Amino acid sequence: MPQPGTAPTPTHRSRPAAAAPLLLLAHGSRDPRHAATVEALADAVRALRPELAVTTAYLDHCAPRIAQVAPRLTDAIAVPLLLNRAFHAKHDIPAALRAAGSAIPVADVLGPSPLLLDALDRRLAETGLDVTDPAVRARTGVVLAAAGSSDPAANATTRAVAATWQRTRGWAAVGTAYASATAPTVADALTALRADPAVRATAVAPYLLAPGLLPDRIATAATASGADHLAPTLGAAPELARLVLARHAEAAIATSAARTA
């Protein structure tokens, strides 16, 4: 029994449990900029939580693949680096984990989230657009340019993100465009924005995490169509790192609740 005025000796039970390791799951690409961006985001997450073990794995094209990593991380929580619950989230990632013999919990996809809107604002600011000036926002029309999906629900989510971005941030208009799978194109979305009398300037903001084929397609179309501002991809924005940690924490809480239910 501790003497009066002395602190009790810590026991194993009194120590907080270590956080579950974080496995970042990315799609992968033949474009080396993709993996470089994913690794930069992983480094940003590590900088925020140095005590947290962070590992990356890819569905395709890049190494290491999910099958090489997931089986040894039995106590991890996977966070998919995806913005929408489309085919990759609903089918590809669960199938890859099953094939690897892994039953680790998988967090929700990153979007939608106010942090993504903050990251989009950040990237537009990097183009020289004064996103802090309400008057500038009120005369600027923005194209939110996503990859596009054959899943109507995923495209509807992107439209909802665009509507929220316009309503909460005061843009003159925010339209959606897609680089594949569905319409409208970036060129068509810019044409529609210019028909709005409130729009005096236009910007294109890729709703994509990393450079590659589809972001390049968006950039080419934006330049050819004369957009006044073209933002880079979301990349390793600080808001993305915070969002990854938030999804990891949410999944950890849900997993703990399920195990004690």
Side-chain angles (χ1 to χ4, degrees):
M1 183 173 181
Q3 297 300 311
T6 64
T9 302
T11 66
H12 175 73
R13 288 186 179 183
S14 68
R15 295 174 188 147
L22 194 165
L23 176 57
L24 286 176
L25 300 182
H27 182 269
S29 169
R30 294 184 179 89
D31 189 321
R33 296 173 297 170
H34 177 92
T37 301
V38 170
E39 297 305 326
L41 178 56
D43 285 342
V45 173
R46 294 183 186 106
L48 290 176
R49 289 282 303 279
E51 80 286 1
L52 181 64
V54 180
T55 307
T56 57
Y58 298 86
L59 272 170
D60 203 2
H61 302 304
C62 302
R65 301 289 180 86
I66 290 174
Q68 297 172 285
V69 176
R72 62 182 171 83
L73 295 178
T74 55
D75 57 345
I77 291 174
V79 177
L81 294 181
L82 301 170
L83 299 176
N84 267 338
R85 284 195 55 78
F87 193 83
H88 295 317
K90 294 177 180 178
H91 302 283
D92 287 346
I93 283 177
L97 288 170
R98 285 195 303 270
S102 174
I104 61 174
V106 180
D108 199 2
V109 295
L110 300 181
S113 167
L115 286 169
L116 287 174
L117 302 184
D118 291 342
L120 288 165
D121 281 351
R122 173 186 293 275
R123 294 309 186 215
L124 280 176
E126 291 171 0
T127 73
L129 185 64
D130 186 359
V131 301
T132 65
D133 187 339
V136 171
R137 288 182 181 267
R139 61 175 178 261
T140 303
V142 184
V143 174
L144 184 68
S149 174
S150 58
D151 185 337
N155 297 326
T157 298
T158 302
R159 293 193 297 273
V161 169
T164 300
W165 197 19
Q166 178 180 358
R167 184 181 69 253
T168 60
R169 308 301 169 98
W171 298 110
V174 178
T176 53
Y178 305 96
S180 65
T182 189
T185 64
V186 168
D188 290 341
L190 283 168
T191 297
L193 284 180
R194 290 181 178 123
D196 187 328
V199 172
R200 293 290 180 267
T202 57
V204 174
Y207 193 50
L208 293 155
L209 290 174
L213 175 64
L214 296 183
D216 285 352
R217 188 178 296 171
I218 288 168
T220 297
T223 301
S225 301
D228 298 301
H229 299 272
L230 171 61
T233 56
L234 295 167
E239 297 83 3
L240 266 292
R242 289 163 52 201
L243 182 53
V244 165
L245 287 172
R247 293 292 185 252
H248 176 266
E250 291 162 2
I253 292 170
T255 299
S256 177
R259 287 172 178 167
T260 58

